[in-house]
């Protein structure tokens, strides 16, 4: 079974600074997807960024970027120029294709989350 | 292993049929949640239950009903399934106000 580990239960950063959230995963698959989700107090789960394992180039979305190290099975999220609105719980997630009696589907596995606080 | 258990893992329905997705957690958590996952949209909150006996609407509650049967169980019901409800559904639980522990998901296809 796949596992996703976020080793930092909580982190804090000053506004305008840069912070990196860690995520490691365990899999024997070669083709999969990785995600970072943001969960604000509203309990929404907002997709921040995604990375396909077959792509070597690290994904970037505005102030959010990832450092994807496939051999090390590491997928960290960097937030640049942190803003107060970035305060949230962040979940790393792994998705792979599975075959079962119902056909093929994509199974999503979440880490336990990192609570990020951006301080003014 | 302790955690969140969802049943069934997958289901195919015809338009208009009804079904109930089951979720149970054995961590004695107060709060439980139902999300749906659609491509490119992240996870959207359908309903949540802050404690036994209470339920509240999330972002996309229309077409769904929920029951917090007891502290362990939180079910999601589709009374008259529609193709737009084809999705992967996740149940989650937590001690406090934000979900931390997710089930493996239920894949639902409505034809």
């Amino acid at each position: 079974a796949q596992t996703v580990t976020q080793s930092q239960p909580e982190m804090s950063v000053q506004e305008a600074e840069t912070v990196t959230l860690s995520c490691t995963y365990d899999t024997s698959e070669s083709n999969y997807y990785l995600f970072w989700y943001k969960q604000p107090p509203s309990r929404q789960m907002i997709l921040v960024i995604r990375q396909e394992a077959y792509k070597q180039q690290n994904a970037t979305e505005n102030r959010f970027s990832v450092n994807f190290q496939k051999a090390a099975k590491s997928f960290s999220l960097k937030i640049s120029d942190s803003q107060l609105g970035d305060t949230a719980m962040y979940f790393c997630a792994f998705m792979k294709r599975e075959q079962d009696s119902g056909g093929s589907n994509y199974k999503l596995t979440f880490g336990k989350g990192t609570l990020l606080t951006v301080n003014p | 292993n302790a955690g969140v258990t969802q049943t069934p893992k997958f289901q195919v329905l015809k338009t208009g049929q009804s079904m109930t997705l089951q979720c149970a957690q054995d961590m004695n958590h107060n709060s439980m949640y139902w999300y749906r996952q659609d491509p490119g949209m992240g996870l959207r909150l359908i309903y949540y239950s802050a404690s036994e006996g209470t339920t509240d609407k999330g972002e996309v509650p229309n077409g769904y009903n929920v029951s917090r049967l007891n502290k362990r169980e939180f079910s999601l019901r589709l009374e008259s399934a529609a193709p737009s409800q084809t999705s992967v559904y996740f149940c989650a639980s937590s001690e406090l106000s934000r979900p931390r522990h997710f089930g493996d998901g239920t894949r639902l296809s409505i034809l």
Side-chain angles (χ1 to χ4, degrees):
Chain A
Q2 276 63 231
T3 59
V4 178
T5 302
Q6 293 179 247
S7 59
Q8 306 148 315
E10 296 187 34
M11 294 188 72
S12 62
V13 64
Q14 292 299 121
E15 195 174 6
E17 292 186 347
T18 295
V19 64
T20 298
L21 280 59
S22 302
C23 173
T24 58
Y25 57 94
D26 183 25
T27 185
S28 58
E29 303 289 328
S30 59
N31 191 21
Y32 49 88
Y33 300 84
L34 294 161
F35 305 86
W36 278 99
Y37 284 92
K38 172 184 177 182
Q39 185 193 75
S42 65
R43 303 178 184 84
Q44 294 175 277
M45 291 284 281
I46 301 166
L47 181 61
V48 174
I49 201 164
R50 63 177 281 169
Q51 173 84 39
E52 289 90 345
Y54 66 86
K55 290 187 177 179
Q56 293 184 341
Q57 186 173 6
N58 289 326
T60 299
E61 289 289 342
N62 301 314
R63 298 182 295 107
F64 299 87
S65 62
V66 297
N67 183 6
F68 174 46
Q69 301 290 328
K70 191 172 184 178
K73 298 179 183 175
S74 170
F75 183 61
S76 59
L77 175 69
K78 186 171 82 171
I79 306 174
S80 304
D81 186 25
S82 297
Q83 299 175 1
L84 297 178
D86 294 334
T87 291
M89 182 76 82
Y90 288 82
F91 287 90
C92 178
F94 170 97
M95 186 168 74
K96 75 174 184 76
R97 185 175 178 177
E98 276 193 341
Q99 289 285 140
D100 54 35
S101 55
S104 65
N105 70 302
Y106 289 89
K107 178 179 168 61
L108 190 65
T109 303
F110 291 93
K112 295 304 182 189
T114 296
L115 180 60
L116 176 67
T117 302
V118 179
N119 299 310
Chain B
N1 290 337
V4 179
T5 303
Q6 292 182 231
T7 55
K9 292 187 184 301
F10 64 87
Q11 183 73 48
V12 179
L13 295 177
K14 294 181 180 178
T15 297
Q17 286 185 315
S18 62
M19 83 158 293
T20 300
L21 279 62
Q22 306 288 351
C23 175
Q25 52 92 8
D26 56 7
M27 295 170 282
N28 203 36
H29 287 165
N30 285 317
S31 302
M32 297 185 74
Y33 312 80
W34 276 106
Y35 289 89
R36 60 177 287 174
Q37 180 206 5
D38 299 298
M41 300 184 75
L43 274 69
R44 293 184 291 171
L45 182 64
I46 305 171
Y47 271 92
Y48 66 97
S49 170
S51 63
E52 184 179 354
T54 67
T55 61
D56 288 283
K57 295 179 180 179
E59 303 169 68
V60 289
N62 292 343
Y64 304 96
N65 286 304
V66 289
S67 295
R68 185 72 184 270
L69 304 170
N70 47 54
K71 195 171 186 179
R72 287 188 67 248
E73 299 172 290
F74 188 40
S75 62
L76 178 71
R77 183 164 177 83
L78 286 72
E79 290 291 351
S80 179
S84 61
Q85 294 177 305
T86 292
S87 188
V88 179
Y89 291 83
F90 285 91
C91 178
S93 73
S94 68
E95 295 176 350
L96 300 174
S97 62
R98 299 195 228 183
R100 295 292 298 272
H101 303 267
F102 288 83
D104 288 340
T106 295
R107 180 164 54 97
L108 185 61
S109 294
I110 298 159
L111 307 177

